[in-house]
Amino acid sequence: MFNTGARVQEIADLRASDLQLTRPFQVRLFGKGRKERYCPLWPQTAAVLRSFSEERNLDSRSEARVFLNHRGGPLTRFGIRYILAQCLTRASWMFRISARSGFTLTA
């Protein structure tokens, strides 16, 4: 998603004001010790984030968090781990079905 070696917590902490979704596409990340760095985004990633931000009515100047949990609170790295585990479980189930039926799933 991000063209960077960003850590999960850095992405979980993203605020709307950290995204630059016009050229040059980039995201501002804060690492350990609040060390700030700018990382480029792929155009496709910027388009998805732009659409997601519009869907959530995020003001690009606000300090609102980009990613929220199901209760509307900040998404944590544990929440991200849970979501990824769910996706992997579904993907492995889909792969087993496609292997048995001779289908090939593509993204």
Side-chain angles (χ1 to χ4, degrees), residues 12-39:
D13 291 340
L14 271 182
R15 310 260 179 192
S17 60
D18 296 330
L19 299 173
Q20 182 173 319
L21 302 177
T22 57
R23 291 189 187 274
F25 307 120
Q26 60 186 6
V27 62
R28 179 176 54 176
L29 298 171
F30 294 94
K32 291 183 178 183
R34 299 290 295 163
K35 184 178 175 185
E36 178 181 0
R37 71 180 193 275
Y38 288 86
C39 298

PDB file of all heavy atoms in Angstrom, residues 12-39:
ATOM      1  N   ALA A  12      -1.092   3.223  11.543  1.00  0.00           N
ATOM      2  CA  ALA A  12      -2.264   3.294  12.415  1.00  0.00           C
ATOM      3  C   ALA A  12      -2.447   4.710  12.959  1.00  0.00           C
ATOM      4  O   ALA A  12      -3.578   5.149  13.183  1.00  0.00           O
ATOM      5  CB  ALA A  12      -2.134   2.294  13.562  1.00  0.00           C
ATOM      6  N   ASP A  13      -1.359   5.432  13.147  1.00  0.00           N
ATOM      7  CA  ASP A  13      -1.411   6.785  13.709  1.00  0.00           C
ATOM      8  C   ASP A  13      -1.665   7.886  12.674  1.00  0.00           C
ATOM      9  O   ASP A  13      -1.708   9.056  13.034  1.00  0.00           O
ATOM     10  CB  ASP A  13      -0.097   7.107  14.435  1.00  0.00           C
ATOM     11  CG  ASP A  13       0.083   6.284  15.705  1.00  0.00           C
ATOM     12  OD1 ASP A  13      -0.921   5.767  16.224  1.00  0.00           O
ATOM     13  OD2 ASP A  13       1.237   6.165  16.167  1.00  0.00           O
ATOM     14  N   LEU A  14      -1.837   7.518  11.404  1.00  0.00           N
ATOM     15  CA  LEU A  14      -2.004   8.526  10.354  1.00  0.00           C
ATOM     16  C   LEU A  14      -3.178   9.459  10.619  1.00  0.00           C
ATOM     17  O   LEU A  14      -4.261   9.029  10.995  1.00  0.00           O
ATOM     18  CB  LEU A  14      -2.256   7.854   9.001  1.00  0.00           C
ATOM     19  CG  LEU A  14      -1.052   7.510   8.164  1.00  0.00           C
ATOM     20  CD1 LEU A  14      -1.507   6.891   6.844  1.00  0.00           C
ATOM     21  CD2 LEU A  14      -0.176   8.701   7.905  1.00  0.00           C
ATOM     22  N   ARG A  15      -2.946  10.727  10.368  1.00  0.00           N
ATOM     23  CA  ARG A  15      -3.984  11.757  10.456  1.00  0.00           C
ATOM     24  C   ARG A  15      -4.266  12.258   9.039  1.00  0.00           C
ATOM     25  O   ARG A  15      -3.410  12.163   8.154  1.00  0.00           O
ATOM     26  CB  ARG A  15      -3.512  12.915  11.318  1.00  0.00           C
ATOM     27  CG  ARG A  15      -2.938  12.495  12.646  1.00  0.00           C
ATOM     28  CD  ARG A  15      -3.904  12.665  13.721  1.00  0.00           C
ATOM     29  NE  ARG A  15      -3.325  12.231  14.992  1.00  0.00           N
ATOM     30  CZ  ARG A  15      -4.060  12.060  16.049  1.00  0.00           C
ATOM     31  NH1 ARG A  15      -5.344  12.272  16.000  1.00  0.00           N
ATOM     32  NH2 ARG A  15      -3.524  11.653  17.165  1.00  0.00           N
ATOM     33  N   ALA A  16      -5.441  12.798   8.829  1.00  0.00           N
ATOM     34  CA  ALA A  16      -5.822  13.288   7.502  1.00  0.00           C
ATOM     35  C   ALA A  16      -4.813  14.322   6.998  1.00  0.00           C
ATOM     36  O   ALA A  16      -4.468  14.340   5.814  1.00  0.00           O
ATOM     37  CB  ALA A  16      -7.229  13.875   7.530  1.00  0.00           C
ATOM     38  N   SER A  17      -4.320  15.149   7.885  1.00  0.00           N
ATOM     39  CA  SER A  17      -3.367  16.198   7.486  1.00  0.00           C
ATOM     40  C   SER A  17      -1.998  15.635   7.083  1.00  0.00           C
ATOM     41  O   SER A  17      -1.186  16.363   6.519  1.00  0.00           O
ATOM     42  CB  SER A  17      -3.195  17.217   8.611  1.00  0.00           C
ATOM     43  OG  SER A  17      -2.706  16.586   9.770  1.00  0.00           O
ATOM     44  N   ASP A  18      -1.754  14.360   7.354  1.00  0.00           N
ATOM     45  CA  ASP A  18      -0.482  13.725   6.987  1.00  0.00           C
ATOM     46  C   ASP A  18      -0.464  13.255   5.533  1.00  0.00           C
ATOM     47  O   ASP A  18       0.581  12.865   5.028  1.00  0.00           O
ATOM     48  CB  ASP A  18      -0.192  12.520   7.884  1.00  0.00           C
ATOM     49  CG  ASP A  18       0.007  12.909   9.335  1.00  0.00           C
ATOM     50  OD1 ASP A  18       0.469  14.034   9.597  1.00  0.00           O
ATOM     51  OD2 ASP A  18      -0.320  12.081  10.210  1.00  0.00           O
ATOM     52  N   LEU A  19      -1.621  13.258   4.884  1.00  0.00           N
ATOM     53  CA  LEU A  19      -1.723  12.756   3.510  1.00  0.00           C
ATOM     54  C   LEU A  19      -1.654  13.895   2.508  1.00  0.00           C
ATOM     55  O   LEU A  19      -2.329  14.912   2.668  1.00  0.00           O
ATOM     56  CB  LEU A  19      -3.052  12.019   3.318  1.00  0.00           C
ATOM     57  CG  LEU A  19      -3.287  10.794   4.197  1.00  0.00           C
ATOM     58  CD1 LEU A  19      -4.707  10.294   4.006  1.00  0.00           C
ATOM     59  CD2 LEU A  19      -2.281   9.704   3.890  1.00  0.00           C
ATOM     60  N   GLN A  20      -0.850  13.723   1.489  1.00  0.00           N
ATOM     61  CA  GLN A  20      -0.849  14.637   0.354  1.00  0.00           C
ATOM     62  C   GLN A  20      -1.297  13.804  -0.848  1.00  0.00           C
ATOM     63  O   GLN A  20      -0.517  13.016  -1.384  1.00  0.00           O
ATOM     64  CB  GLN A  20       0.525  15.243   0.102  1.00  0.00           C
ATOM     65  CG  GLN A  20       0.484  16.231  -1.062  1.00  0.00           C
ATOM     66  CD  GLN A  20       1.782  16.972  -1.217  1.00  0.00           C
ATOM     67  OE1 GLN A  20       2.397  17.377  -0.241  1.00  0.00           O
ATOM     68  NE2 GLN A  20       2.194  17.155  -2.452  1.00  0.00           N
ATOM     69  N   LEU A  21      -2.555  13.991  -1.237  1.00  0.00           N
ATOM     70  CA  LEU A  21      -3.150  13.141  -2.262  1.00  0.00           C
ATOM     71  C   LEU A  21      -3.243  13.827  -3.612  1.00  0.00           C
ATOM     72  O   LEU A  21      -4.021  13.438  -4.477  1.00  0.00           O
ATOM     73  CB  LEU A  21      -4.523  12.656  -1.778  1.00  0.00           C
ATOM     74  CG  LEU A  21      -4.458  11.888  -0.449  1.00  0.00           C
ATOM     75  CD1 LEU A  21      -5.847  11.495   0.017  1.00  0.00           C
ATOM     76  CD2 LEU A  21      -3.558  10.676  -0.560  1.00  0.00           C
ATOM     77  N   THR A  22      -2.446  14.888  -3.786  1.00  0.00           N
ATOM     78  CA  THR A  22      -2.225  15.512  -5.089  1.00  0.00           C
ATOM     79  C   THR A  22      -0.735  15.384  -5.374  1.00  0.00           C
ATOM     80  O   THR A  22       0.062  15.163  -4.461  1.00  0.00           O
ATOM     81  CB  THR A  22      -2.642  16.995  -5.076  1.00  0.00           C
ATOM     82  OG1 THR A  22      -1.918  17.664  -4.045  1.00  0.00           O
ATOM     83  CG2 THR A  22      -4.144  17.147  -4.836  1.00  0.00           C
ATOM     84  N   ARG A  23      -0.367  15.516  -6.638  1.00  0.00           N
ATOM     85  CA  ARG A  23       1.049  15.345  -6.990  1.00  0.00           C
ATOM     86  C   ARG A  23       1.926  16.364  -6.298  1.00  0.00           C
ATOM     87  O   ARG A  23       1.550  17.525  -6.243  1.00  0.00           O
ATOM     88  CB  ARG A  23       1.222  15.445  -8.499  1.00  0.00           C
ATOM     89  CG  ARG A  23       0.612  14.257  -9.198  1.00  0.00           C
ATOM     90  CD  ARG A  23       0.989  14.258 -10.668  1.00  0.00           C
ATOM     91  NE  ARG A  23       0.291  13.218 -11.371  1.00  0.00           N
ATOM     92  CZ  ARG A  23       0.711  11.954 -11.454  1.00  0.00           C
ATOM     93  NH1 ARG A  23       1.837  11.608 -10.900  1.00  0.00           N
ATOM     94  NH2 ARG A  23       0.006  11.058 -12.098  1.00  0.00           N
ATOM     95  N   PRO A  24       3.035  16.006  -5.771  1.00  0.00           N
ATOM     96  CA  PRO A  24       3.563  14.650  -5.636  1.00  0.00           C
ATOM     97  C   PRO A  24       2.855  13.935  -4.479  1.00  0.00           C
ATOM     98  O   PRO A  24       2.727  14.468  -3.378  1.00  0.00           O
ATOM     99  CB  PRO A  24       5.038  14.861  -5.317  1.00  0.00           C
ATOM    100  CG  PRO A  24       5.083  16.177  -4.607  1.00  0.00           C
ATOM    101  CD  PRO A  24       3.958  16.999  -5.215  1.00  0.00           C
ATOM    102  N   PHE A  25       2.373  12.723  -4.742  1.00  0.00           N
ATOM    103  CA  PHE A  25       1.664  11.938  -3.739  1.00  0.00           C
ATOM    104  C   PHE A  25       2.650  11.511  -2.662  1.00  0.00           C
ATOM    105  O   PHE A  25       3.681  10.916  -2.955  1.00  0.00           O
ATOM    106  CB  PHE A  25       1.033  10.698  -4.367  1.00  0.00           C
ATOM    107  CG  PHE A  25       0.168  10.992  -5.562  1.00  0.00           C
ATOM    108  CD1 PHE A  25       0.462  10.443  -6.791  1.00  0.00           C
ATOM    109  CD2 PHE A  25      -0.937  11.815  -5.464  1.00  0.00           C
ATOM    110  CE1 PHE A  25      -0.328  10.690  -7.899  1.00  0.00           C
ATOM    111  CE2 PHE A  25      -1.742  12.081  -6.558  1.00  0.00           C
ATOM    112  CZ  PHE A  25      -1.438  11.520  -7.785  1.00  0.00           C
ATOM    113  N   GLN A  26       2.305  11.824  -1.408  1.00  0.00           N
ATOM    114  CA  GLN A  26       3.191  11.430  -0.316  1.00  0.00           C
ATOM    115  C   GLN A  26       2.436  11.397   1.000  1.00  0.00           C
ATOM    116  O   GLN A  26       1.325  11.902   1.111  1.00  0.00           O
ATOM    117  CB  GLN A  26       4.393  12.369  -0.215  1.00  0.00           C
ATOM    118  CG  GLN A  26       4.048  13.814   0.036  1.00  0.00           C
ATOM    119  CD  GLN A  26       5.289  14.694  -0.022  1.00  0.00           C
ATOM    120  OE1 GLN A  26       6.377  14.255  -0.351  1.00  0.00           O
ATOM    121  NE2 GLN A  26       5.120  15.957   0.312  1.00  0.00           N
ATOM    122  N   VAL A  27       3.066  10.784   1.966  1.00  0.00           N
ATOM    123  CA  VAL A  27       2.513  10.687   3.304  1.00  0.00           C
ATOM    124  C   VAL A  27       3.606  11.080   4.292  1.00  0.00           C
ATOM    125  O   VAL A  27       4.779  10.783   4.091  1.00  0.00           O
ATOM    126  CB  VAL A  27       1.969   9.263   3.584  1.00  0.00           C
ATOM    127  CG1 VAL A  27       3.068   8.232   3.518  1.00  0.00           C
ATOM    128  CG2 VAL A  27       1.250   9.193   4.911  1.00  0.00           C
ATOM    129  N   ARG A  28       3.190  11.791   5.324  1.00  0.00           N
ATOM    130  CA  ARG A  28       4.125  12.169   6.392  1.00  0.00           C
ATOM    131  C   ARG A  28       3.962  11.154   7.516  1.00  0.00           C
ATOM    132  O   ARG A  28       2.859  10.926   8.007  1.00  0.00           O
ATOM    133  CB  ARG A  28       3.804  13.574   6.903  1.00  0.00           C
ATOM    134  CG  ARG A  28       4.720  14.024   8.014  1.00  0.00           C
ATOM    135  CD  ARG A  28       4.452  15.435   8.421  1.00  0.00           C
ATOM    136  NE  ARG A  28       3.030  15.598   8.757  1.00  0.00           N
ATOM    137  CZ  ARG A  28       2.497  16.713   9.217  1.00  0.00           C
ATOM    138  NH1 ARG A  28       3.239  17.781   9.374  1.00  0.00           N
ATOM    139  NH2 ARG A  28       1.219  16.774   9.498  1.00  0.00           N
ATOM    140  N   LEU A  29       5.050  10.519   7.890  1.00  0.00           N
ATOM    141  CA  LEU A  29       5.039   9.501   8.936  1.00  0.00           C
ATOM    142  C   LEU A  29       5.894   9.965  10.107  1.00  0.00           C
ATOM    143  O   LEU A  29       6.884  10.675   9.926  1.00  0.00           O
ATOM    144  CB  LEU A  29       5.583   8.173   8.401  1.00  0.00           C
ATOM    145  CG  LEU A  29       4.790   7.533   7.272  1.00  0.00           C
ATOM    146  CD1 LEU A  29       5.557   6.347   6.699  1.00  0.00           C
ATOM    147  CD2 LEU A  29       3.414   7.111   7.748  1.00  0.00           C
ATOM    148  N   PHE A  30       5.485   9.550  11.292  1.00  0.00           N
ATOM    149  CA  PHE A  30       6.237   9.863  12.496  1.00  0.00           C
ATOM    150  C   PHE A  30       6.707   8.566  13.121  1.00  0.00           C
ATOM    151  O   PHE A  30       5.910   7.719  13.505  1.00  0.00           O
ATOM    152  CB  PHE A  30       5.367  10.638  13.489  1.00  0.00           C
ATOM    153  CG  PHE A  30       4.986  12.004  12.990  1.00  0.00           C
ATOM    154  CD1 PHE A  30       3.788  12.194  12.324  1.00  0.00           C
ATOM    155  CD2 PHE A  30       5.839  13.078  13.160  1.00  0.00           C
ATOM    156  CE1 PHE A  30       3.433  13.439  11.846  1.00  0.00           C
ATOM    157  CE2 PHE A  30       5.492  14.337  12.686  1.00  0.00           C
ATOM    158  CZ  PHE A  30       4.289  14.514  12.026  1.00  0.00           C
ATOM    159  N   GLY A  31       8.018   8.413  13.220  1.00  0.00           N
ATOM    160  CA  GLY A  31       8.599   7.212  13.787  1.00  0.00           C
ATOM    161  C   GLY A  31       8.896   7.378  15.259  1.00  0.00           C
ATOM    162  O   GLY A  31       8.342   8.249  15.936  1.00  0.00           O
ATOM    163  N   LYS A  32       9.810   6.557  15.741  1.00  0.00           N
ATOM    164  CA  LYS A  32      10.199   6.617  17.146  1.00  0.00           C
ATOM    165  C   LYS A  32      10.764   7.997  17.452  1.00  0.00           C
ATOM    166  O   LYS A  32      11.486   8.583  16.653  1.00  0.00           O
ATOM    167  CB  LYS A  32      11.234   5.546  17.451  1.00  0.00           C
ATOM    168  CG  LYS A  32      10.662   4.156  17.388  1.00  0.00           C
ATOM    169  CD  LYS A  32      11.702   3.139  17.771  1.00  0.00           C
ATOM    170  CE  LYS A  32      11.071   1.761  17.731  1.00  0.00           C
ATOM    171  NZ  LYS A  32      12.004   0.729  18.161  1.00  0.00           N
ATOM    172  N   GLY A  33      10.421   8.516  18.616  1.00  0.00           N
ATOM    173  CA  GLY A  33      10.877   9.833  19.005  1.00  0.00           C
ATOM    174  C   GLY A  33      10.242  10.938  18.181  1.00  0.00           C
ATOM    175  O   GLY A  33      10.778  12.030  18.089  1.00  0.00           O
ATOM    176  N   ARG A  34       9.104  10.635  17.561  1.00  0.00           N
ATOM    177  CA  ARG A  34       8.366  11.579  16.711  1.00  0.00           C
ATOM    178  C   ARG A  34       9.223  12.067  15.541  1.00  0.00           C
ATOM    179  O   ARG A  34       9.036  13.166  15.011  1.00  0.00           O
ATOM    180  CB  ARG A  34       7.824  12.765  17.508  1.00  0.00           C
ATOM    181  CG  ARG A  34       6.842  12.404  18.595  1.00  0.00           C
ATOM    182  CD  ARG A  34       5.527  11.922  18.090  1.00  0.00           C
ATOM    183  NE  ARG A  34       4.809  12.959  17.369  1.00  0.00           N
ATOM    184  CZ  ARG A  34       3.785  12.737  16.557  1.00  0.00           C
ATOM    185  NH1 ARG A  34       3.379  11.501  16.371  1.00  0.00           N
ATOM    186  NH2 ARG A  34       3.185  13.701  15.937  1.00  0.00           N
ATOM    187  N   LYS A  35      10.183  11.238  15.125  1.00  0.00           N
ATOM    188  CA  LYS A  35      11.008  11.565  13.969  1.00  0.00           C
ATOM    189  C   LYS A  35      10.115  11.599  12.728  1.00  0.00           C
ATOM    190  O   LYS A  35       9.420  10.638  12.423  1.00  0.00           O
ATOM    191  CB  LYS A  35      12.113  10.521  13.811  1.00  0.00           C
ATOM    192  CG  LYS A  35      13.069  10.818  12.694  1.00  0.00           C
ATOM    193  CD  LYS A  35      14.157   9.763  12.647  1.00  0.00           C
ATOM    194  CE  LYS A  35      15.034  10.006  11.447  1.00  0.00           C
ATOM    195  NZ  LYS A  35      16.022   8.927  11.311  1.00  0.00           N
ATOM    196  N   GLU A  36      10.139  12.698  12.017  1.00  0.00           N
ATOM    197  CA  GLU A  36       9.257  12.919  10.872  1.00  0.00           C
ATOM    198  C   GLU A  36       9.967  12.580   9.563  1.00  0.00           C
ATOM    199  O   GLU A  36      11.131  12.905   9.388  1.00  0.00           O
ATOM    200  CB  GLU A  36       8.840  14.398  10.865  1.00  0.00           C
ATOM    201  CG  GLU A  36       7.971  14.810   9.738  1.00  0.00           C
ATOM    202  CD  GLU A  36       7.635  16.296   9.798  1.00  0.00           C
ATOM    203  OE1 GLU A  36       8.088  16.992  10.734  1.00  0.00           O
ATOM    204  OE2 GLU A  36       6.937  16.758   8.905  1.00  0.00           O
ATOM    205  N   ARG A  37       9.233  11.903   8.674  1.00  0.00           N
ATOM    206  CA  ARG A  37       9.769  11.663   7.334  1.00  0.00           C
ATOM    207  C   ARG A  37       8.617  11.630   6.338  1.00  0.00           C
ATOM    208  O   ARG A  37       7.486  11.328   6.698  1.00  0.00           O
ATOM    209  CB  ARG A  37      10.590  10.382   7.284  1.00  0.00           C
ATOM    210  CG  ARG A  37       9.821   9.108   7.377  1.00  0.00           C
ATOM    211  CD  ARG A  37      10.812   7.920   7.316  1.00  0.00           C
ATOM    212  NE  ARG A  37      10.147   6.677   7.101  1.00  0.00           N
ATOM    213  CZ  ARG A  37       9.620   5.916   8.042  1.00  0.00           C
ATOM    214  NH1 ARG A  37       9.672   6.310   9.294  1.00  0.00           N
ATOM    215  NH2 ARG A  37       9.037   4.781   7.753  1.00  0.00           N
ATOM    216  N   TYR A  38       8.934  11.966   5.113  1.00  0.00           N
ATOM    217  CA  TYR A  38       7.944  11.948   4.029  1.00  0.00           C
ATOM    218  C   TYR A  38       8.262  10.771   3.113  1.00  0.00           C
ATOM    219  O   TYR A  38       9.412  10.568   2.740  1.00  0.00           O
ATOM    220  CB  TYR A  38       7.996  13.254   3.231  1.00  0.00           C
ATOM    221  CG  TYR A  38       7.421  14.416   4.006  1.00  0.00           C
ATOM    222  CD1 TYR A  38       8.204  15.139   4.886  1.00  0.00           C
ATOM    223  CD2 TYR A  38       6.088  14.759   3.863  1.00  0.00           C
ATOM    224  CE1 TYR A  38       7.679  16.196   5.611  1.00  0.00           C
ATOM    225  CE2 TYR A  38       5.544  15.811   4.575  1.00  0.00           C
ATOM    226  CZ  TYR A  38       6.350  16.524   5.453  1.00  0.00           C
ATOM    227  OH  TYR A  38       5.815  17.559   6.168  1.00  0.00           O
ATOM    228  N   CYS A  39       7.233  10.019   2.780  1.00  0.00           N
ATOM    229  CA  CYS A  39       7.400   8.845   1.927  1.00  0.00           C
ATOM    230  C   CYS A  39       6.458   8.961   0.736  1.00  0.00           C
ATOM    231  O   CYS A  39       5.307   9.372   0.884  1.00  0.00           O
ATOM    232  CB  CYS A  39       7.075   7.572   2.693  1.00  0.00           C
ATOM    233  SG  CYS A  39       8.178   7.314   4.090  1.00  0.00           S
TER     234      CYS A  39
END
